[in-house]
Amino acid sequence: MTEYRLGVIGDPIDHSLSPQIHNLFAEQTNLKIDYQPYRVLSENLNSFVKDFFESGGDGLNVTLPHKVQCSQIATSTSPIVDIIGAANTLKSAKRSKDIFAESTDGNGLIQDLQEKSKIGSANILILGAGGSALSIIPSIADCLPKNILLDNRSQEKIQPLIERFNNLTINNSIIDNIDHFEDDIDIVINATSAGFSGAFNWYRDLNLSKKTFFYDLSYTKDNSKTPFLNWAIQYSDNYSDGFGMLINQAALSYELWTGIMPGTTINKSDLIND
Ligand code: ATR
């Protein structure tokens, strides 16, 4: 049986759940994989990636802070990577010099979110204007929501983000000034790192209601709520953290490498309490 040589690169990497997730996928799909976490410093990234693939590696997941640099190392890129300029998955044919870069983050989010809330024709507010926000916008736009609204603590970062989508029709549906937006907001997605070191608070009031669905791209490793969800429950009982996105983005990477889409019904306790 072919053994797939896989891994995840980042710095730090100790916290990564990817090895456990992919080993579960392998068990489930009856494939043999060797999936290792690699802590790689930025200055060693190019040579690490090149050596990994030239010595027979099949695929790598990429996490912070290497997503942008990996999109540049690749010899070919997917349409989403071309737009967002970042990649979370690399693939190469055995011992080839050609490296293909993909980003499965946005579609991983969509696969999870659409099981929990209706995206088509919804007004979707994204909080944040950094790399995480950028990486999900094309996939959200593909679902044809009514509007994509952007808000960010530093207002000056919103317009440059929208300009990245200038040549795409989705630019028309992105609203950068929500001050006068009167329609209901159906979904709020937290794409900020606010709350990483304490409680989450938004810098201004938002027009949210009981019907709003709240989704955090961050997740906890247990049943506790993320700081964003602790803030969201003042409005609504409809919410989710990003654990499902984590599983789905991993599944899409696994499919890219092996051609087989694994099942994504995985609980936190399946991973953490191993
Ligand atoms: P990432 O790649 O995770 O998106 P990033 O590009 O550094 O990381 O972006 C972090 C995002 O979190 C930004 O939108 C940032 O807002 P600013 O542009 O105003 O810095 C947002 N963020 C971080 N801490 C925040 C806080 N305490 N309150 C509100 N927004 C915060």
Side-chain angles (χ1 to χ4, degrees):
M1 192 196 291
T2 317
E3 176 165 348
Y4 290 90
R5 212 178 122 216
L6 307 168
V8 56
I9 51 176
D11 180 25
I13 202 64
D14 289 350
H15 65 287
S16 176
L17 295 174
S18 295
Q20 285 151 282
I21 297 171
H22 284 280
N23 282 316
L24 278 181
F25 290 158
E27 243 172 68
Q28 195 200 99
T29 54
N30 263 322
L31 293 181
K32 209 158 177 278
I33 68 168
D34 171 17
Y35 190 110
Q36 300 295 332
Y38 299 102
R39 177 168 176 248
V40 181
L41 304 181
S42 296
E43 58 264 36
N44 301 331
L45 186 67
N46 286 30
S47 58
F48 179 91
V49 170
K50 196 168 154 275
D51 292 349
F52 180 85
F53 286 117
E54 284 187 14
S55 65
D58 297 287
L60 286 172
N61 279 131
V62 183
T63 187
L64 299 177
H66 300 322
K67 291 185 176 189
V68 172
Q69 206 179 327
C70 278
S71 72
Q72 294 158 354
I73 293 174
T75 52
S76 62
T77 47
S78 74
I80 286 192
V81 171
D82 291 341
I83 298 169
I84 68 174
N88 76 340
T89 309
L90 300 176
K91 174 188 170 156
S92 180
K94 281 270 185 230
R95 295 181 206 287
S96 157
K97 286 191 164 41
D98 298 328
I99 301 170
F100 173 69
E102 177 60 283
S103 175
T104 63
D105 285 331
N107 287 344
L109 163 70
I110 295 303
Q111 288 196 352
D112 189 43
L113 185 56
Q114 68 193 3
E115 282 180 19
K116 295 168 174 154
S117 190
K118 192 163 171 286
I119 307 176
S121 68
N123 289 315
I124 302 183
L125 169 60
I126 299 173
L127 305 181
S132 301
L134 174 63
S135 71
I136 60 173
I137 291 173
S139 303
I140 293 176
D142 271 352
C143 297
L144 305 177
K146 197 160 165 192
N147 292 294
I148 298 172
L149 303 117
L150 297 183
D151 196 14
N152 194 49
R153 177 182 61 179
S154 310
Q155 293 287 300
E156 71 278 6
K157 292 198 190 150
I158 298 179
Q159 205 46 45
L161 183 58
I162 293 178
E163 274 161 22
R164 292 190 73 120
F165 301 103
N166 261 351
N167 295 329
L168 303 174
T169 48
I170 61 172
N171 197 17
N172 300 333
S173 69
I174 303 182
I175 296 177
D176 63 337
N177 186 341
I178 64 169
D179 289 336
H180 306 294
F181 188 78
E182 308 250 298
D183 209 353
D184 289 339
I185 292 173
D186 304 297
I187 299 176
V188 181
I189 298 175
N190 176 34
T192 74
S193 48
F196 277 24
S197 50
F200 179 96
N201 257 309
W202 199 235
Y203 71 101
R204 67 160 163 198
D205 288 338
L206 296 167
N207 179 23
L208 305 172
S209 79
K210 262 185 141 94
K211 285 185 279 174
T212 307
F213 184 84
F214 292 82
Y215 193 98
D216 196 347
L217 299 190
S218 303
Y219 57 88
T220 60
K221 292 186 173 184
D222 54 26
N223 286 329
S224 63
K225 288 187 194 66
T226 60
F228 171 72
L229 295 185
N230 273 322
W231 170 84
I233 53 175
Q234 67 181 302
Y235 299 104
S236 163
D237 297 329
N238 303 315
Y239 55 80
S240 171
D241 77 9
F243 182 76
M245 172 182 173
L246 172 78
I247 301 296
N248 278 281
Q249 60 80 29
L252 291 167
S253 298
Y254 189 88
E255 183 187 31
L256 183 71
W257 298 323
T258 67
I260 301 175
M261 182 67 181
T264 53
T265 315
I266 292 177
N267 297 318
K268 289 180 183 177
S269 57
D270 297 333
L271 299 177
I272 321 291
N273 299 330
D274 270 1

